[in-house]
Amino acid sequence: MRFGVLTGGGDCPGLNPALRAVVLRAARAGHATVGFLDGWKGVRDGLLRPLGPADVHGLISRGGTILGSSRTNPFAKEADTARVLATLAQEKIDALVAIGGDDTLSAARELFRRGRPVVGVPKTMDNDVGGTDWTFGFFSATAVAVDALERLRDTAGSHHRAIVLEVMGRHAGWVALGTGLAGGADATLVPEEPYQEEPLMARVKAAAAARGYALVVASEGIDLGPRRGTTGGKDEFGHELLGEREVGAELARRIQAQTGIETRSAQIGHIQRGGAPELFDRILATRLGATAVDLALAGRFGEVAVLRGPSVVGVPFDEALKTPKTVTPDWLDLLRTFEP
Ligand code: F6P
């Protein structure tokens, strides 16, 4: 068999280990792999490179993706779709492994519906793919944010300030939740909960009264009213472009104005997406990549390798993509236990 593999959507730590797993698992079974460059763009434009065992050496510990990524939607225009189908035929791809989040996997499902041999691997630092317990990328990205919060704790304490840390997460607040929980924030704001100013200010004041400083974690997607810098445009998958992400700075202004506590903000942005994958992400990416190959070898096209409890299993695209996973009330209840 000739395997094709691609990485699409926002990159995250774990993509390279997943590529390594796909290539080595396929090679072990006697099959060759080619990698498409920059997500679906590479399939559309016929941009690819051979990926043999030597090409993936050392990838277990490398951030990013050696194939590159993009948010190209191959089904946005009929002409592009035709080119994608032509490339797969021309390159004689017997099995395509699409590694990505909801958008990349939705495109993979569409390709499968058109009769092409596709399997999926979920990834995203946002952790919001519905059909899997966790996605790789989340743990590494959140560890970066926790490290940032711990650094902010030192300086907030020295200067008796409040500091707001803004983290990624447009629609799902998993990174903020994980950062608040693992970093011991005094208040954590996620997009799943309507913004409430009074309890936030009360928590900041209580923390400052108890210890002389306060730490707030905010997801970029919380709704503070109209955003300055919003572009108003949409990406190829129809998602609104957020423009400048500045909820942290806006919250800092509000906190200082309402509590009188000197307040600063920090935005770590794409720093969260880089760096070596954490242990859990390396292992999860490896298991999912290898399982995707196994699914293809068993002829189980149209399935996505997902984590369910202790096991990695294949589920149909529809099941994996049914509902995006957002932060649930029980998690917020747990979080509130540790806030003042
Ligand atoms: O989807 C992952 C993600 O990191 C989001 O959390 C974030 O809002 C977005 O990507 C940023 O996208 P871009 O890299 O296109 O600015």
Side-chain angles (χ1 to χ4, degrees):
M1 275 170 83
R2 187 162 146 89
F3 276 79
V5 63
L6 64 89
T7 51
D11 69 344
C12 67
L15 288 171
N16 275 329
L19 288 173
R20 169 179 175 270
V22 168
V23 170
L24 295 182
R25 189 73 156 194
R28 182 66 60 148
H31 306 291
T33 304
V34 294
F36 289 99
L37 308 185
D38 299 338
W40 291 111
K41 183 169 180 283
V43 190
R44 182 192 69 191
D45 298 347
L47 306 171
L48 63 158
R49 56 175 276 197
L51 277 186
D55 300 305
V56 296
H57 178 73
L59 290 193
I60 189 71
S61 58
R62 272 180 61 189
T65 160
I66 57 162
L67 289 180
S69 192
S70 72
R71 296 190 191 274
T72 307
N73 181 357
F75 295 99
K77 295 187 209 128
E78 251 327 298
D80 287 355
T81 309
R83 289 169 66 188
V84 163
L85 299 177
T87 302
L88 294 178
Q90 197 175 319
E91 296 299 333
K92 298 187 170 43
I93 301 298
D94 300 305
L96 181 65
V97 182
I99 307 175
D102 278 336
D103 292 336
T104 302
L105 296 178
S106 302
R109 172 174 60 184
E110 188 53 38
L111 207 51
F112 174 69
R113 284 178 178 159
R114 293 178 189 222
R116 298 311 184 275
V118 191
V119 292
V121 171
K123 68 85 214 174
T124 165
M125 61 160 284
D126 292 335
N127 192 39
D128 61 352
V129 177
T132 183
D133 290 356
W134 299 100
T135 51
F136 64 79
F138 167 72
F139 290 93
S140 307
T142 306
V144 171
V146 170
D147 178 65
L149 193 69
E150 281 168 0
R151 289 165 194 271
L152 294 175
R153 182 185 297 283
D154 292 344
T155 175
S158 305
H159 290 270
H160 315 296
R161 286 170 170 160
I163 301 190
V164 181
L165 173 64
E166 179 185 324
V167 300
M168 280 186 167
R170 279 180 285 192
H171 308 292
W174 292 107
V175 175
L177 176 105
T179 308
L181 209 50
D186 300 305
T188 299
L189 308 180
V190 296
E192 288 86 348
E193 261 190 332
Y195 172 68
Q196 286 181 295
E197 203 143 273
E198 264 177 45
L200 169 66
M201 298 306 163
R203 282 183 190 125
V204 168
K205 281 192 213 161
R211 292 186 259 100
Y213 71 91
L215 291 175
V216 176
V217 176
S219 192
E220 64 178 333
I222 61 166
D223 186 4
L224 294 177
R227 282 165 181 271
R228 285 188 295 165
T230 301
T231 63
K234 297 208 165 160
D235 68 17
E236 287 191 14
F237 286 93
H239 305 301
E240 196 195 335
L241 296 168
L242 282 188
E244 287 301 308
R245 302 180 188 92
E246 51 177 24
V247 299
E250 173 60 24
L251 277 175
R253 280 191 285 273
R254 292 186 192 188
I255 291 170
Q256 182 158 318
Q258 292 187 39
T259 65
I261 300 165
E262 192 178 21
T263 307
R264 298 286 190 265
S265 68
Q267 188 192 55
I268 47 174
H270 290 80
I271 292 171
Q272 291 157 98
R273 294 234 300 253
E278 290 272 304
L279 174 68
F280 186 84
D281 284 341
R282 292 184 196 197
I283 293 173
L284 179 59
T286 299
R287 294 176 78 195
L288 295 180
T291 301
V293 170
D294 294 348
L295 290 173
L297 292 175
R300 289 171 61 181
F301 296 109
E303 294 196 18
V304 181
V306 297
L307 180 68
R308 293 279 170 90
S311 309
V312 167
V313 296
V315 299
F317 275 114
D318 280 346
E319 193 181 327
L321 294 171
K322 200 157 77 190
T323 323
K325 189 166 70 237
T326 49
V327 173
T328 43
D330 53 325
W331 280 104
L332 295 171
D333 179 57
L334 177 67
L335 191 62
R336 297 285 119 81
T337 312
F338 308 103
E339 295 180 346

